[in-house]
Amino acid sequence: MLTDIHPKLPMRNKAITREFYLNKLKFQEFGDADYEGYLMVQRDRIQIHFFEFRELDPNINYGQIYIRTDDIQKLYQSLMDNKVNIHPQGSLQKKPWGQQEFSVLDPDHNLITFGQSI
């Protein structure tokens, strides 16, 4: 039986990625081991893993994940209050497919989209 999914995204610099997810998006580091070239973060029931890819060109990175939430207005406002840059084409919007969504780009241009059913 499938129970969870933990996407793995590329990162060029662990310290920069850690700072963005912990301080900007308010995730917490998961686990008590500090693996070289690997990072795990968690917020509520969502966990994201990162692997080191120093040669990554962020301008051609297609890494992306979609995270569902049950209070998108509150989440959006908390990120705005924390001065997180919202993706230029990813502001909070109602979509024709029945979702309300917004997106951010992390330091490596992984696209993180948050959504809630309307």
Side-chain angles (χ1 to χ4, degrees):
M1 304 262 174
L2 303 178
T3 61
D4 295 294
I5 187 169
H6 304 300
K8 293 169 73 172
L9 296 173
M11 66 177 172
R12 292 172 294 163
N13 182 300
K14 184 175 178 177
I16 292 171
T17 299
R18 178 187 285 130
E19 189 279 329
F20 178 80
Y21 281 88
L22 273 55
N23 297 325
K24 291 292 190 177
L25 299 187
K26 301 302 181 190
F27 278 73
Q28 297 176 329
E29 199 155 356
F30 179 79
D32 55 4
D34 188 13
Y35 300 106
E36 184 177 341
Y38 203 80
L39 174 67
M40 298 178 287
V41 298
Q42 182 170 338
R43 179 171 173 178
D44 302 321
R45 295 175 33 211
I46 301 300
Q47 196 177 109
I48 308 171
H49 294 212
F50 298 89
F51 61 94
E52 186 174 74
F53 183 15
R54 291 185 186 271
E55 299 79 24
L56 175 69
D57 180 348
N59 295 317
I60 57 172
N61 180 12
Y62 298 104
Q64 52 186 295
I65 57 174
Y66 192 97
I67 300 173
R68 296 193 184 273
T69 178
D70 60 4
D71 194 344
I72 198 155
Q73 294 284 346
K74 182 177 179 182
L75 177 61
Y76 184 77
Q77 189 59 54
S78 73
L79 297 186
M80 296 296 292
D81 292 346
N82 205 26
K83 309 243 185 303
V84 174
N85 291 327
I86 303 302
H87 188 284
Q89 286 82 44
S91 62
L92 186 59
Q93 302 171 25
K94 290 183 180 178
K95 300 294 188 174
W97 46 87
Q99 292 288 113
Q100 192 170 18
E101 301 176 348
F102 73 93
S103 300
V104 300
L105 286 173
D106 77 5
D108 296 301
H109 286 195
N110 291 301
L111 182 68
I112 314 301
T113 302
F114 299 93
Q116 180 178 6
S117 296
I118 298 173

